[in-house]
Amino acid sequence: MRCLRWAGYIDGIDLNLGCPQRSAMRGGFGCFLMEHPETVCAMIRAAKKATHLPISAKIRVFADDVGTHTVQGRVACVRTGSGAFATPCGHAVGPSTGCRSCAVECDLGASTHGQTHARRAHAAPCPDECMAGRTAGFARQLVNAGIWMLAVHGRTRTQRHHEGQVHFDVIQRICRAVPSIPVIANGGITSRTQAEAVLRNTGCAAVMAASRLLSNVSLFDPSTVPDATTTSDDDGLASMSAKIANARVYLHAARIFPPPGPRFLRDHVAVNFGQDLRWRHPDLYNLLVRNTRVTRWEQFWAIVDVLASRETPDVVPTLPTLRQIKDMAVDATHNDVAVA
């Protein structure tokens, strides 16, 4: 494993089984590897044998577990394309028999979701693997192979663009299925209040946020900077003021802890302002997003200063022009973020 070269510099190895992009589908990696649990578990065991580093994984939820019916708290069997039935864990059932693996009798039921689907609901207690669902069963396999921590994005692989419902109920079942390791909930976290509710309701050890932190770096500390996604007045100035404050918080941190390259600064600041900047200040938007000469920390800070002066006309500091921002000296030795 090539990562072993860096074993002295890293604290752990994370197996990404959550990427749903088309490139992952073509290459057979990311969440598409979840269809091959034996291969995944073999990879984990090989990594454990080769290194002392702890190994974690991130997964998505199987579509099999989404929208399943429950009767008295038990996951229902669902009809397969062949006309037979199967529990979410894959146990086969016949037209009038129960789950063959656990000898549970099932009753035929029906439910309508746009069209009628025949359903079978367990009429008696079923083993844990049936009650928890396919994703929880996969999580157990990962734990048995040797992972020490699991992150779960609560969407399916078809929800590639962060759209749709996050299935926290499935994450809850996973937490109950693998109590020996910490489970991290991921997906759709929009506020500290919601994060705390997810922790309470799922039993997870932590939550993970990504997209919303791009637009509000103070997401989990609302007492520091107003939430830029919710704070606004009639003319929108308060909302933009909050975004300016957020951008400055991020850039201040980036000056102390420089990111690997200027695109990190550009992406964070651009997503922070979103379409507001594009439509209200297209010249600043083009300078920030499209001008390849903007690579230095000082340039990004100056862009935010110019924006602040426009949004708060009563504050008129001495600021550089846009041409002066473009002409700021660029570090000639490497294409990295230059920090004064």
Side-chain angles (χ1 to χ4, degrees):
M1 296 174 61
R2 285 181 293 177
C3 63
L4 293 182
R5 301 176 187 174
W6 304 98
Y9 303 92
I10 60 178
D11 296 319
I13 299 172
D14 185 67
L15 181 58
N16 182 3
L17 301 170
C19 179
Q21 301 305 319
R22 288 189 175 90
S23 59
M25 178 177 65
R26 290 191 296 267
F29 57 88
C31 64
F32 298 91
L33 259 180
M34 291 177 61
E35 297 293 342
H36 307 281
E38 298 83 2
T39 300
V40 173
C41 291
M43 292 168 59
I44 295 170
R45 287 191 292 267
K48 281 184 64 67
K49 185 176 180 180
T51 177
H52 66 283
L53 295 171
I55 299 170
S56 58
K58 182 181 180 184
I59 64 175
R60 287 197 169 221
V61 302
F62 283 109
D64 308 52
D65 293 338
V66 175
T68 55
H69 293 252
T70 59
V71 176
Q72 296 180 350
R74 304 181 182 95
V75 176
C77 291
V78 296
R79 188 168 189 170
T80 65
S82 63
F85 293 84
T87 64
C89 61
H91 292 168
V93 295
S96 60
T97 63
C99 177
R100 291 175 184 153
S101 298
C102 52
V104 173
E105 291 299 320
C106 295
D107 296 322
L108 182 62
S111 175
T112 301
H113 286 278
Q115 57 179 320
T116 300
H117 296 276
R119 302 278 178 174
R120 287 185 174 275
H122 290 304
C126 193
D128 289 344
E129 61 265 25
C130 290
M131 294 178 65
R134 184 182 176 190
T135 314
F138 181 69
R140 283 198 191 94
Q141 290 178 285
L142 299 182
V143 172
N144 292 336
I147 66 166
W148 73 279
M149 183 174 68
L150 179 67
V152 184
H153 188 133
R155 295 186 176 98
T156 67
R157 70 187 187 192
T158 60
Q159 298 172 287
R160 286 196 301 269
H161 304 293
H162 310 292
E163 75 277 11
Q165 178 184 355
V166 180
H167 305 286
F168 290 113
D169 57 324
V170 179
I171 297 179
Q172 181 190 56
R173 297 205 297 267
I174 294 170
C175 287
R176 293 174 177 174
V178 289
S180 61
I181 67 167
V183 176
I184 301 173
N186 174 233
I189 302 298
T190 60
S191 69
R192 183 187 182 98
T193 300
Q194 185 200 15
E196 291 171 343
V198 168
L199 288 175
R200 287 194 305 271
N201 296 332
T202 64
C204 283
V207 297
M208 177 188 297
S211 299
R212 189 52 65 95
L213 281 170
L214 285 172
S215 59
N216 182 6
V217 294
S218 300
L219 181 69
F220 295 133
D221 188 10
S223 63
T224 303
V225 179
D227 185 343
T229 63
T230 59
T231 303
S232 62
D233 55 20
D234 292 339
D235 57 12
L237 289 179
S239 176
M240 182 60 80
S241 297
K243 293 179 180 182
I244 290 170
N246 278 325
R248 284 176 166 157
V249 169
Y250 168 72
L251 288 172
H252 177 72
R255 188 167 195 175
I256 300 172
F257 307 102
R263 74 178 182 87
F264 292 86
L265 292 175
R266 181 177 294 109
D267 289 352
H268 269 275
V269 176
V271 174
N272 173 72
F273 290 115
Q275 294 301 310
D276 282 355
L277 184 65
R278 182 177 184 178
W279 299 119
R280 294 166 66 168
H281 304 281
D283 54 342
L284 287 178
Y285 175 84
N286 289 330
L287 182 61
L288 171 65
V289 175
R290 297 174 178 169
N291 196 296
T292 58
R293 294 171 64 185
V294 176
T295 60
R296 291 175 60 89
W297 181 91
E298 291 86 353
Q299 292 172 292
F300 291 101
W301 188 271
I303 289 172
V304 174
D305 276 346
V306 172
L307 175 62
S309 70
R310 293 182 182 181
E311 293 289 333
T312 314
D314 54 320
V315 179
V316 189
T318 302
L319 295 171
T321 64
L322 300 192
R323 178 175 292 277
Q324 288 173 329
I325 293 175
K326 287 189 288 186
D327 291 340
M328 285 181 179
V330 177
D331 190 338
T333 60
H334 55 79
N335 188 27
D336 203 345
V337 180
V339 179

